[in-house]
Amino acid sequence: MPELHELSAQDLLAGYARRAFSPLEVCQALIAHIERWEPRLQATYLYRPEQALQQARASSARWQRGAPCGPLDGVPGTLKENIATAGDPMPAGSAASSAPLAAQDAPPAARLREAGLVLLSKTTMPDWGMLSSGLSSFHRLARNPWDLSRTPGGSSAGAGAAAAAGYGPLHVGTDIGGSLRLPASWCGIFTLKPSLGRVPIDPPYMGRAAGPMTRSVSDAALMLQVLAQPDARDSMSLPVQALDWAGVAGTPVEHLRGLRVGLLLEPGCGLPVAPEISAAVQAAARLFEAAGAHVTPMRPFFTREMLDGLDHFWRMRSCIDLQALAPAQRERLLPYIRQWAESAAAFDGPHVFRAYAQTHATRVATVAASAPFDYVISPVSPNLPAPAEDPSPTNDPLRPLEHIAFTVPWNMSEQPAASINCGHSAGGLPIGLQIAGRRFDDVGVLKVARAFEQLRGAQRPWPRPQ
């Protein structure tokens, strides 16, 4: 039998129900496991084992009475630092922040607490969530458990590392250009960036989504049953829908038969795709074809103008945030982020308007390119994880987004997109396959991912503390 810290959420719930073990025993095992890993991994923020044990004791008592409080009662998990938890500071990964205390739980935190999640910790992120790495002026440097010299990705850096290292089965991250999918790809785990509004967040923002980060598709679906509940604080929250989250786990491989699948191997701009990544994604495409899907190569649709427009618009947004800081605070911001944001000071109004217009141009192009297909598969990232100390794969603040051309289009189009492991490099680093679907077809993307999860066969053992 696997060790307690290795069990999935579904296995934990089944074990609690038959009294094979208790939430308290699981929490104790998990704390011991985290404390072996964490000095090197550095994935946690506000790690409070005593509070977690207190929650686990209460859950154990409920299970002993046969009265769990919700569908995740006693299951351990984490939340990304920028998901507000009442009374806790929110530095947004930056030493420049005044780290205000959150007045209330954000929607994902509230839903998970109501469902009985044992909150082990928050997880780390880079300054302002604007890096695909674990580098932060506030948090310790998060590392990739597959290779501690490499980044776990970002901005959901700690969440990706924690999921791969086995810090419990359930984790929440956020994504505005790839911040769920990049760490999922580079850490070998599963995630879904849901349709905009499927998982309410606070504050909402164009393209911004919260989603599950797990070791399996089924655990992500279980989590989404809880997370995907409307909340008035998110003005873009989707209405109540009866979705078949529970049916995801039982999806057969035959589900792929007859599906029209687009295969996108070139991003259109940015970094060239590493040969190992291209080979892994093409091997995945052959598995889809062998299962009866109709796979058709696609032409790139994302352009340099679109990528630069998004970059320049976000630079100006951060430039305005930077200018609102006192001089002493600005000096505490990560130098890479400061240089990137300050570069927008010379942009005039027409330039910023044209940059902003690329958000809609990206949306239109993405929807049009994917319209002939039920789903689109591609690499998540053109590159393998960079060195842990590098803020971005290019290490250049004036070329910061060269690695997100596969991911960011689906944020702007509001379509669901997942990352699932489809192979490893010669050096043992994970490679992610992106599966994108039509807007609102979150369950469909999960079912395709679940079918592929079975096709891809046995995976390498998860990394262990070094």
Side-chain angles (χ1 to χ4, degrees), residues 126-446:
D127 287 57
W128 294 352
M130 293 308 298
L131 295 177
S132 298
S133 78
L135 186 63
S136 165
S137 62
F138 181 87
H139 299 297
R140 298 172 301 164
L141 177 65
R143 295 180 179 275
N144 191 318
W146 293 92
D147 180 343
L148 294 174
S149 74
R150 298 281 133 183
T151 183
S155 63
S156 304
Y167 287 24
L170 304 181
H171 309 269
V172 177
T174 63
D175 188 316
I176 199 171
S179 290
L180 283 164
R181 288 156 290 162
L182 291 164
S185 173
W186 294 340
C187 292
I189 62 168
F190 179 78
T191 193
L192 176 73
K193 181 209 73 67
S195 299
L196 186 73
R198 179 69 69 204
V199 175
I201 52 175
D202 182 29
Y205 193 81
M206 176 181 61
R208 184 172 182 243
M213 303 183 78
T214 61
R215 286 182 168 187
S216 70
V217 179
S218 297
D219 271 1
L222 178 67
M223 204 174 183
L224 282 160
Q225 292 182 58
V226 170
L227 291 171
Q229 303 296 327
D231 191 296
R233 289 173 287 172
D234 187 341
S235 58
M236 294 178 279
S237 174
L238 296 178
V240 175
Q241 288 181 273
L243 299 176
D244 187 25
W245 304 113
V248 169
T251 305
V253 169
E254 290 74 20
H255 180 76
L256 300 179
R257 185 174 297 129
L259 292 180
R260 297 169 300 163
V261 177
L263 173 62
L264 183 67
L265 291 173
E266 294 295 333
C269 58
L271 294 174
V273 181
E276 288 180 297
I277 294 174
S278 183
V281 171
Q282 290 182 71
R286 289 192 293 272
L287 291 177
F288 273 79
E289 286 184 313
H294 305 295
V295 178
T296 304
M298 295 174 62
R299 291 185 175 184
F301 58 86
F302 191 59
T303 67
R304 168 56 57 183
E305 185 178 14
M306 293 171 185
L307 182 60
D308 287 347
L310 295 171
D311 177 20
H312 290 192
F313 174 65
W314 287 336
R315 287 191 205 197
M316 180 54 75
R317 183 188 68 169
S318 295
C319 182
I320 292 169
D321 290 341
L322 186 71
Q323 290 170 349
L325 298 175
Q329 285 179 289
R330 291 180 205 171
E331 291 302 313
R332 292 196 289 270
L333 191 66
L334 198 70
Y336 182 101
I337 293 292
R338 193 169 66 245
Q339 185 178 348
W340 172 73
E342 288 174 344
S343 70
F347 296 168
D348 60 17
H351 181 94
V352 175
F353 175 79
R354 287 191 293 270
Y356 173 73
Q358 293 306 311
T359 62
H360 187 66
T362 301
R363 177 191 184 99
V364 170
T366 307
V367 172
S370 59
F373 307 105
D374 300 308
Y375 301 94
V376 173
I377 60 174
S378 73
V380 171
S381 167
N383 59 290
L384 295 166
E389 294 79 9
D390 287 358
S392 73
T394 60
N395 204 15
D396 181 351
L398 301 183
R399 294 177 58 242
L401 305 182
E402 300 297 301
H403 58 291
I404 70 168
F406 283 118
T407 53
V408 73
W410 310 103
N411 294 81
M412 298 302 106
S413 70
E414 304 181 12
Q415 294 170 252
S419 173
I420 186 168
N421 185 246
C422 68
H424 292 79
S425 71
L429 293 169
I431 296 170
L433 175 74
Q434 181 170 248
I435 303 171
R438 295 176 178 174
R439 192 177 176 209
F440 310 131
D441 189 21
D442 304 76
V443 169
V445 171
L446 288 172

Side-chain angles (χ1 to χ4, degrees), residues 17-104:
R18 66 176 188 271
R19 300 188 182 183
F21 43 77
S22 70
L24 179 59
E25 291 172 303
V26 169
C27 192
Q28 290 169 332
L30 200 49
I31 288 168
H33 176 71
I34 290 171
E35 290 176 356
R36 289 192 294 270
W37 253 126
E38 187 58 10
R40 299 173 186 85
L41 206 61
Q42 303 182 152
T44 64
Y45 170 62
L46 299 180
Y47 172 57
R48 296 164 175 165
E50 288 306 318
Q51 287 189 16
L53 288 168
Q54 184 178 3
Q55 296 168 50
R57 289 187 187 98
S59 175
S60 295
R62 290 192 294 270
W63 279 104
Q64 190 67 29
R65 297 193 306 268
C69 71
L72 299 178
D73 199 356
V75 178
T78 72
L79 293 164
K80 188 176 176 180
E81 183 242 282
N82 64 348
I83 301 291
T85 46
D88 290 330
M90 292 179 61
S94 179
S97 170
S98 58
L101 301 184
Q104 59 184 334

